[in-house]
Amino acid sequence: MKPIVLLDGGMGMELLHRSDNKTPTNWSAQYLMDEPELVKAVHRDYINAGASVVTINAYSATFTRLSRVKNEDRVPELQRLACELAIASRDATGKTGADVKIAGCLPPLNGSYRPDRVMPYDQILDEYQRLVEFQAPYVDVFICETMSSAIEAKATATAASASGKPV
């Protein structure tokens, strides 16, 4: 019998629920900037509830999303912080990497559920490769989240696969 893998829950909606900030400018990345302890608490709660995989809170910490609000220069910092918070949360529960895996987050770059906004393959592949480069030293596996099109899915899977980690 194969072991059961239990993923964490929706990070962005849980942060929105718990925070006093109900209108974050940069969606989940806003909580990395303003409330990192809240991010850690959500990770810890998912781990304590039995999650064996937690996904870093980097869904909106991408160059494309943050360029809209002139924060794209913060992407490397926020990517690292998202990884470090997930690891610190796991460590705070007394779990190890054998117990709880850290998943990298490769989200849609230009809006969820919007295949009409997917940019050309070469352009998104470049951005996904950069995100993988930031996350790879910290994560055990990559999750390609909420893909809007086959082109987007191919770009994320191609970029993540180059890391040698499971996708």
Side-chain angles (χ1 to χ4, degrees):
M1 190 162 149
K2 292 185 179 190
I4 295 171
V5 176
L6 183 61
L7 301 177
D8 57 359
M11 178 61 87
M13 291 305 294
E14 188 63 22
L15 290 167
L16 186 64
H17 173 73
R18 293 186 189 193
S19 176
D20 290 335
N21 181 1
K22 303 301 182 194
T23 56
T25 305
N26 299 310
W27 183 232
S28 61
Q30 194 69 48
Y31 300 111
L32 282 174
M33 294 184 240
D34 299 341
E35 300 181 69
E37 290 302 314
L38 178 60
V39 174
K40 282 173 57 174
V42 173
H43 282 311
R44 276 193 312 269
D45 288 350
Y46 281 133
I47 293 166
N48 287 331
S52 53
V53 177
V54 292
T55 306
I56 66 169
N57 180 45
Y59 193 86
S60 62
T62 68
F63 292 101
T64 300
R65 297 267 312 249
L66 292 180
S67 68
R68 296 179 197 154
V69 291
K70 311 258 188 286
N71 271 335
E72 65 271 22
D73 59 320
R74 295 200 62 192
V75 170
E77 164 203 354
L78 294 174
Q79 289 284 325
R80 179 187 43 72
L81 179 59
C83 294
E84 290 174 349
L85 292 173
I87 292 167
S89 300
R90 178 186 63 200
D91 294 349
T93 66
K95 304 284 184 177
T96 68
D99 304 313
V100 176
K101 302 296 182 201
I102 305 298
C105 171
L106 299 175
L109 298 177
N110 206 15
S112 302
Y113 313 110
R114 294 299 305 261
D116 58 314
R117 291 186 181 171
V118 174
M119 298 173 289
Y121 178 80
D122 291 339
Q123 183 179 349
I124 61 176
L125 177 62
D126 178 63
E127 185 164 349
Y128 284 126
Q129 288 170 329
R130 293 169 74 192
L131 296 175
V132 166
E133 184 179 314
F134 295 137
Q135 296 175 23
Y138 303 95
V139 304
D140 303 299
V141 60
F142 281 97
I143 294 181
C144 306
E145 294 195 62
T146 324
M147 296 291 96
S148 300
S149 74
I151 291 171
E152 195 170 58
K154 179 180 177 186
T156 58
T158 300
S161 294
S163 73
K165 298 191 181 216
V167 179

